[in-house]
């Protein structure tokens, strides 16, 4: 059973005696750490190099590291003291409890009004805190992101281009795609109230997409999204990334549930663009209520169109759901699009030719 150990600042302050003469930090940089010795020195140096000169603290939670990550941190503590950055460190030994747990503990340690999330394998641009703090102060309900680059250069190129090119309204309209949160988690910066309103991160451990769960809960609760259009983070790519522990089907189920809750329940009918494998999979994954709203599939493949209908043979319903398949120019909006973007082919040109508006007439689910 999932038990969230996240502690709100209000509850925490009941057990704290505030030091009247102590200048409280405005920003808490939270860093969950698990066996990060290969990268943590570079990560922490980027905290030291921030141009933001206001009150700031570094909150590190050690999630049962078995390497020398903490020794590296201890060697650098004097540097943080000289910079006026208070360092708070705690953790546990034994078995790791997962990223969600470590994030919640790092957040609970701090007292800053604003939270800057930093993974132990990433590196911040010197202006990150100052730029994102300004944006967060303008919208205290927002998760604030930024542009990023990857190391090694060129890794996850399609994903990086997609995330960095999103315009403001697409941060919302493309939140259903397989890429995950439109504001990439390693770039998150927000007011503490944003986290408290969600109740912290899911603590299910390995295999749980805690950032996606939080992201969807934030949007469902009326939270907002914004992004500083500057490259303020080096987002490292390596085989030990926690992302690789999450199964594709787990992500798929979360996405379908979010799509039904936030979009499909508001539509009385819709079409699915792609009569192939992905489009049919989406149809089969929908609730019966949502399936009944599907009026047609559309495609450009003459072989699929020539079948005229998709029949869901494994449906328990009698008669079996039977959905027409039409050429894309005959499709009736609104449309759920199950075609990957930015691939070779004419999809973007075909979609543009229909002169539809994203968010109103179609949603990407690719």
């Amino acid at each position: 059973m999932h038990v969230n150990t996240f502690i709100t600042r209000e509850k925490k302050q009941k057990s704290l005696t505030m030091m009247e003469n102590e200048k409280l930090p405005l920003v808490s940089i939270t860093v969950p750490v698990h066996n990060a010795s290969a990268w943590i020195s570079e990560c922490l140096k980027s905290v030291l190099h921030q141009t933001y000169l206001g009150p700031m603290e570094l909150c590190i939670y050690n999630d049962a590291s078995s390497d020398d990550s903490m020794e590296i941190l201890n060697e650098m503590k004097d540097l943080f003291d000289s910079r006026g950055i208070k360092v708070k460190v705690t953790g546990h030994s034994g078995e790791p409890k997962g990223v969600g747990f470590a994030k919640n503990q790092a957040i609970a340690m701090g007292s800053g009004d604003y939270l800057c999330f930093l993974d132990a394998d990433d590196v911040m641009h010197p202006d990150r805190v100052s730029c994102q703090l300004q944006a967060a102060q303008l919208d205290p309900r927002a998760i604030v992101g930024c542009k990023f680059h990857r190391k090694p250069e060129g890794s996850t190129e399609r994903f990086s281009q997609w995330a960095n090119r999103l315009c403001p309204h697409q941060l919302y309209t493309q939140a259903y795609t397989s890429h995950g949160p439109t504001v990439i988690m390693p770039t998150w910066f927000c007011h503490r109230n944003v986290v408290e309103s969600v109740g912290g991160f899911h603590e299910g451990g390995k295999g749980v997409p805690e950032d996606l769960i939080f992201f969807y809960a934030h949007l469902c609760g009326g939270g907002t999204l914004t992004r500083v259009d500057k490259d303020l983070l080096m987002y490292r790519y390596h085989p030990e990334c926690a992302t690789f522990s999450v199964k594709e089907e787990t992500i798929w189920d979360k996405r379908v549930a979010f799509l039904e809750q936030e979009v499909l329940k508001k539509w009385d009918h819709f079409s699915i663009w792609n009569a192939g494998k992905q489009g049919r999979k989406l149809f089969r994954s929908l609730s019966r209520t949502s399936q009944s709203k599907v009026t047609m599939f559309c495609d450009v493949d003459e072989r699929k169109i020539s079948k005229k209908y998709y029949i869901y043979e494994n449906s328990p319903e009698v008669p079996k759901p039977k959905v027409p398949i039409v050429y894309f120019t005959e499709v009736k909006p609104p449309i759920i699009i199950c075609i990957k973007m930015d691939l070779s082919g004419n999809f973007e040109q075909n979609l543009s030719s229909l002169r539809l508006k994203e968010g109103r007439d179609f949603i990407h689910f690719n």
Side-chain angles (χ1 to χ4, degrees):
M1 181 179 178
H2 162 63
V3 178
N4 196 320
T5 63
F6 180 74
I7 302 172
T8 66
R9 182 172 53 179
E10 181 180 357
K11 291 180 181 178
K12 181 182 173 185
Q13 285 179 336
K14 291 179 181 179
S15 62
L16 294 178
T17 300
M18 301 299 291
M19 299 293 292
E20 292 184 2
N21 296 326
E22 182 180 359
K23 191 173 185 181
L24 293 176
L26 182 62
V27 178
S28 298
I29 300 176
T30 64
V31 186
V33 177
H34 175 69
N35 293 343
S37 60
W39 315 288
I40 194 169
S41 177
E42 188 179 7
C43 170
L44 296 179
K45 286 177 182 176
S46 73
V47 176
L48 290 167
H49 295 155
Q50 290 301 297
T51 58
Y52 173 71
L53 299 178
M56 183 166 60
E57 66 182 355
L58 177 65
C59 302
I60 295 178
Y61 188 84
N62 176 27
D63 186 22
S65 295
S66 57
D67 64 3
D68 58 351
S69 295
M70 292 301 99
E71 286 78 0
I72 295 172
L73 170 63
N74 289 331
E75 292 172 359
M76 299 181 66
K77 274 191 172 180
D78 288 344
L79 295 173
F80 285 97
D81 289 341
S82 65
R83 174 72 164 75
I85 300 174
K86 185 174 182 178
V87 179
K88 299 178 180 178
V89 185
T90 189
H92 71 276
S93 57
E95 291 296 317
K97 296 185 179 181
V99 179
F101 177 85
K103 285 177 180 174
N104 285 341
Q105 296 304 307
I107 293 166
M109 291 162 56
S111 55
D113 286 340
Y114 294 89
L115 302 171
C116 177
F117 293 90
L118 179 61
D119 288 346
D121 50 0
D122 295 337
V123 177
M124 298 195 292
H125 184 282
D127 293 333
R128 183 188 173 192
V129 170
S130 60
C131 288
Q132 290 190 291
L133 174 60
Q134 183 178 16
Q137 288 174 324
L138 291 174
D139 187 356
R141 296 185 304 127
I143 292 177
V144 179
C146 64
K147 292 185 176 181
F148 61 90
H149 64 279
R150 305 236 46 180
K151 187 175 181 178
E153 184 178 352
S155 56
T156 68
E157 186 170 3
R158 281 188 63 245
F159 166 76
S160 299
Q161 290 179 354
W162 166 81
N164 284 326
R165 290 175 180 175
L166 292 171
C167 60
H169 80 273
Q170 288 177 324
L171 297 178
Y172 299 92
T173 62
Q174 295 198 16
Y176 312 90
T177 75
S178 60
H179 288 312
T182 48
V183 178
I184 310 309
M185 200 291 140
T187 72
W188 287 7
F189 191 110
C190 65
H191 195 281
R192 184 176 290 270
N193 289 344
V194 170
V195 176
E196 295 184 353
S197 67
V198 172
F201 290 88
H202 193 289
E203 297 181 357
K206 189 175 182 180
V208 173
E210 78 288 333
D211 56 344
L212 185 66
I213 294 171
F214 185 102
F215 184 73
Y216 285 166
H218 172 71
L219 290 176
C220 289
T224 60
L225 305 171
T226 189
R227 187 185 67 198
V228 176
D229 284 331
K230 296 180 180 179
D231 182 346
L232 299 175
L233 187 80
M234 184 277 282
Y235 180 14
R236 198 181 304 272
Y237 180 83
H238 57 87
E240 288 79 30
C241 290
T243 306
F244 294 120
S245 70
V246 183
K247 294 181 179 178
E248 185 176 329
E249 284 306 305
T250 300
I251 300 289
W252 175 274
D253 292 343
K254 298 294 182 186
R255 292 169 54 215
V256 172
F258 185 60
L259 178 72
E260 291 201 289
Q261 179 177 342
E262 293 299 301
V263 178
L264 301 185
K265 75 175 184 181
K266 301 172 185 176
W267 291 351
D268 57 12
H269 71 277
F270 64 95
S271 304
I272 296 176
W273 191 319
N274 189 347
K277 182 178 179 181
Q278 288 295 97
R280 297 195 305 269
K281 179 181 179 181
L282 173 60
F283 182 87
R284 294 192 300 268
S285 301
L286 297 174
S287 66
R288 291 187 184 182
T289 299
S290 295
Q291 287 179 356
S292 69
K293 296 180 180 181
V294 180
T295 55
M296 65 186 70
F297 287 87
C298 78
D299 214 292
V300 296
D301 187 333
E302 293 295 342
R303 181 180 58 84
K304 296 171 187 172
I305 296 169
S306 66
K307 295 179 180 180
K308 296 186 178 180
Y309 295 95
Y310 166 65
I311 301 175
Y312 182 16
E313 297 289 357
N314 293 329
S315 172
E317 294 187 29
V318 179
K320 307 292 185 185
K322 184 178 180 181
V323 185
I325 303 173
V326 303
Y327 190 60
F328 85 93
T329 56
E330 301 173 44
V331 69
K332 299 290 190 286
I335 311 163
I336 300 298
I337 296 178
C338 294
I339 303 289
K340 288 187 177 181
M341 297 174 284
D342 301 320
L343 297 177
S344 57
N346 299 319
F347 166 67
E348 279 82 6
Q349 181 179 343
N350 290 339
L351 178 60
S352 178
S353 71
L354 299 180
R355 300 182 181 278
L356 303 175
K357 183 177 180 180
E358 185 172 358
R360 182 192 67 189
D361 300 320
F362 68 89
I363 291 289
H364 283 287
F365 186 90
N366 49 352

